[in-house]
Amino acid sequence: MTSYLAPIARRLGSRRLWLPFIGPALLIAAWSLLVESGTISPILLPGPVSTLKHLWSVTVSGAVAGDFLMTLSRTVQAFLIATVIGVPLGVALGASESLYRSVEFVIDFFRSTPSSALIPLFMLIFGISDFNKIAISAFAAVLVILFNSAYGVMNAKRTRVMAATVMGATRFQVFRDVLLWESLPQTFVGLRSGISLALVIVVVAEMFIGSDSGLGQRIINAQQIMNVREMYGSILAAGVLGYVLNLLFLILDKKVVHWSGRA
């Protein structure tokens, strides 16, 4: 029976390898169809082949490398600041539900406020500086990370907390050995969302706060002179950066929180 099912299993496994490529293939096909059918003028939306060729040429020549690395650097700096503040504060608030409820409105209010709307405020505080872009991005990310860390602690399995208490564990031991570990899956959700949001706000800040580097600055400059291949190529570069960062956190999540979802 096993030998009979083995070829089927191999075929299914080989098919799964192709599944991640279906979405990009459909996207490129739809993109090509829009351009070739004349639905959208090639002046406004160049074909995917032309755009990808341009992106490849500026990547190989190194023309986009400086802006790519600058956006990555700002995103990582903002994310690290948000993590250092958000995780400990979220865990501390989550350990005391009454304390969290007392500040819940403030957290939810600013978490629900579009961070890009606060750019003028941050410009008044920090001026037109590089740190301004990092600060507004860190502010946006810290709220998401804090929220998820707090709820990770508050939603820890009560049976495990009760079991540890019954076995004589102190409140600190329960917090350290049960609540912290139970909160990790939700915390990683916050970290993944946080780094994605940090990248979005950094790119927006590079576009609208005086900047001479970064993918956002590259996109807005290309748009202003109607260099559409450059504009779409830079957008794709930002998308690739976001995808890679998200993929890295997915891998890290599976490595660190490998027990998530198990009883």
Side-chain angles (χ1 to χ4, degrees), residues 121-145:
L121 172 63
F122 276 77
M123 288 178 69
L124 289 175
I125 297 172
F126 298 105
I128 301 176
S129 63
D130 197 56
F131 184 73
N132 188 355
K133 303 172 186 63
I134 297 170
I136 183 68
S137 180
F139 177 79
V142 74
L143 295 171
V144 175
I145 294 171

Side-chain angles (χ1 to χ4, degrees), residues 6-154:
I8 299 175
R10 281 196 297 270
R11 282 198 296 272
L12 289 174
S14 62
R15 286 178 184 174
R16 288 197 186 106
L17 292 175
W18 290 100
L19 290 178
F21 299 99
I22 295 175
L26 291 174
L27 175 62
I28 291 173
W31 183 354
S32 299
L33 183 62
L34 284 172
V35 176
E36 295 298 328
S37 65
T39 305
I40 300 179
S41 170
I43 298 174
L44 300 177
L45 180 65
V49 175
S50 173
T51 304
L52 291 172
K53 278 183 178 179
H54 178 76
L55 178 59
W56 176 255
S57 67
V58 295
T59 301
V60 171
S61 67
V64 75
D67 291 317
F68 186 91
L69 291 175
M70 183 55 71
T71 297
L72 175 61
S73 174
R74 289 169 178 150
T75 301
V76 171
Q77 288 180 70
F79 173 73
L80 290 176
I81 292 171
T83 301
V84 168
I85 296 172
V87 172
L89 189 56
V91 170
L93 288 173
S96 173
E97 189 166 346
S98 58
L99 180 60
Y100 180 82
R101 297 303 175 194
S102 67
V103 295
E104 185 176 21
F105 171 80
V106 176
I107 294 171
D108 283 349
F109 177 81
F110 282 106
R111 192 170 62 87
S112 303
T113 303
S115 298
S116 54
L118 299 175
I119 286 178
L121 172 63
F122 276 77
M123 288 178 69
L124 289 175
I125 297 172
F126 298 105
I128 301 176
S129 63
D130 197 56
F131 184 73
N132 188 355
K133 303 172 186 63
I134 297 170
I136 183 68
S137 180
F139 177 79
V142 74
L143 295 171
V144 175
I145 294 171
L146 186 155
F147 173 82
N148 281 278
S149 296
Y151 266 81
V153 174
M154 287 190 290

Side-chain angles (χ1 to χ4, degrees), residues 153-200:
V153 174
M154 287 190 290
N155 293 333
K157 289 191 173 93
R158 299 303 174 192
T159 51
R160 292 180 179 172
V161 174
M162 290 174 61
T165 304
V166 168
M167 288 188 287
T170 63
R171 289 188 66 182
F172 175 73
Q173 287 173 326
V174 170
F175 177 77
R176 182 192 64 191
D177 299 329
V178 180
L179 291 179
L180 281 180
W181 291 100
E182 284 283 308
S183 70
L184 277 181
Q186 188 69 30
T187 297
F188 264 87
V189 171
L191 292 174
R192 280 180 56 204
S193 301
I195 198 164
S196 297
L197 184 58
L199 174 61
V200 170

